[in-house]
Amino acid sequence: MMLKHSLKYLLAFALTACGWHKSLDQAELSALYTQPLSPPDKPLRVFHIGHSLVNKDIPMMLEQLAGTGHDHRSQLGWGASLRSHWEPDVPVNGFEVENAHPRFQDARQAVDSGQFDVLVLTESVEIKDAIKHHDSPQYIRQWARAARTANPKIRVYLYELWHELNDPKGWLERLDEDLSLYWEGVLLARGLAHGDTGGPVYVIPAGQVMARLVREVEARGGVDRLRSREDLFYISDEGKRDMIHLSALGNYLVALTHYAVLYHRPPPAEPQAIRLVDGTQLPPISPELARLMSEVIWSVVTSYPKTGVAQRGN
């Protein structure tokens, strides 16, 4: 018996040393999402963990879309990984700058308080590097486990991101490939494989929404001020296009996606008056573009079971 246990221990050690990880296969992972969540019956308290692709505008836009009673707090950094937000001895780059605002709350204290209805996890990108260097699935597991230990009813989400606009493999091509390859096939499949997270981690499919909208808009030759994918990304006063950070319009699209997933409602199909963190207003969009954004988001959210939203036909 002692020999059997010793061999089992040595095998586990060897598999860990050579990079083996316990993982769910596609069918096992999909089975976790067969039953949709019930729509929330009250405004939500949401905690956002992440970096500049969360920024301060997206949570504030979401709060305005949701209306009275919705509240949020966050802990952000510059390109920060989930590991850096979890481990006290791993620095969160840009911590002092990004969290110098009234909605900051220490992430570990916030999660352990059990006072939030929703936890939104944001991993750093390039996602392949995050997996390789920051053990992303392990920290998804850690955060989800801690959140549901403090509050078994909390809903935990993974915010699906995008990559640089000039990615050599192609921006749309990466969005098409990476969802199943990395976000599901590594982060979720490994992060949930141990069965100790108190339930699945759901997905806010922002990258998929962007891809669907871009294909629709570019096929039409542009809609209103969204002429191409570049218009979703920030442009400096000097006219230089940022390759990964979003414009106000891009942030709004992502905030609408959060709203649809968290509240199980189609996002507004008409232009909204939205205030940005800097005190300015979201530049106006046409009714046609507002309607298209709403339709695309709701189509993606209700055709992807991992959002936790009831699917079309259900």
Side-chain angles (χ1 to χ4, degrees), residues 12-257:
F13 179 81
L15 289 171
T16 300
C18 69
W20 179 86
H21 298 273
K22 185 175 182 179
S23 184
L24 301 174
D25 64 30
Q26 185 177 10
E28 291 170 327
L29 182 63
S30 295
L32 299 178
Y33 300 90
T34 54
Q35 183 64 39
L37 292 165
S38 58
D41 58 3
K42 63 181 180 65
L44 299 171
R45 293 199 71 206
V46 181
F47 195 85
H48 302 262
I49 296 176
H51 46 73
S52 58
L53 299 188
V54 179
N55 62 70
K56 293 181 279 292
D57 269 318
I58 289 172
M60 285 297 293
M61 288 178 172
L62 171 61
E63 188 163 301
Q64 292 169 76
L65 290 165
T68 304
H70 182 102
D71 188 27
H72 82 271
R73 298 292 183 272
S74 66
Q75 180 172 299
L76 307 174
W78 293 338
S81 66
L82 291 172
R83 172 174 170 260
S84 68
H85 285 294
W86 178 271
E87 300 289 356
D89 59 342
V90 178
V92 176
N93 293 330
F95 185 94
E96 291 77 11
V97 174
E98 288 301 306
N99 296 302
H101 60 88
R103 299 303 186 96
F104 164 71
Q105 188 170 341
D106 178 86
R108 292 293 298 273
Q109 292 178 11
V111 168
D112 290 343
S113 75
Q115 295 177 353
F116 288 88
D117 305 302
V118 171
L119 173 63
V120 179
L121 302 172
T122 313
E123 186 52 288
S124 59
V125 289
E126 165 72 58
I127 196 61
K128 292 183 290 188
D129 293 340
I131 292 167
K132 180 178 180 180
H133 299 294
H134 301 296
D135 199 5
S136 304
Q138 171 65 10
Y139 287 96
I140 288 173
R141 179 188 178 195
Q142 296 274 58
W143 281 111
R145 196 163 52 174
R148 289 197 174 111
T149 296
N151 177 5
K153 293 183 178 180
I154 194 170
R155 297 179 174 192
V156 184
Y157 293 86
L158 175 65
Y159 168 21
E160 179 227 0
L161 301 175
W162 52 93
H163 296 87
E164 292 201 357
L165 197 56
N166 58 354
D167 189 281
K169 193 168 186 177
W171 187 71
L172 285 172
E173 289 74 10
R174 285 292 305 273
L175 288 172
D176 292 344
E177 180 180 281
D178 287 3
L179 179 67
S180 60
L181 185 61
Y182 297 118
W183 299 97
E184 297 177 355
V186 179
L187 273 67
L188 294 180
R190 294 183 189 173
L192 302 177
H194 297 269
D196 59 358
T197 56
V201 171
Y202 298 92
V203 179
I204 299 173
Q208 300 310 298
V209 164
M210 293 169 74
R212 180 85 61 90
L213 182 65
V214 161
R215 285 190 165 103
E216 182 68 30
V217 164
E218 292 183 353
R220 297 187 188 189
V223 177
D224 186 27
R225 59 190 181 89
L226 183 56
R227 314 305 301 175
S228 70
R229 65 194 70 179
E230 285 80 9
D231 293 325
L232 292 174
F233 291 83
Y234 177 75
I235 188 166
S236 70
D237 293 339
E238 293 75 32
K240 184 177 180 180
R241 182 76 61 186
D242 194 301
M243 291 293 108
I244 196 163
H245 295 100
L246 298 178
S247 64
L249 180 61
N251 281 333
Y252 181 54
L253 178 68
V254 172
L256 289 169
T257 304

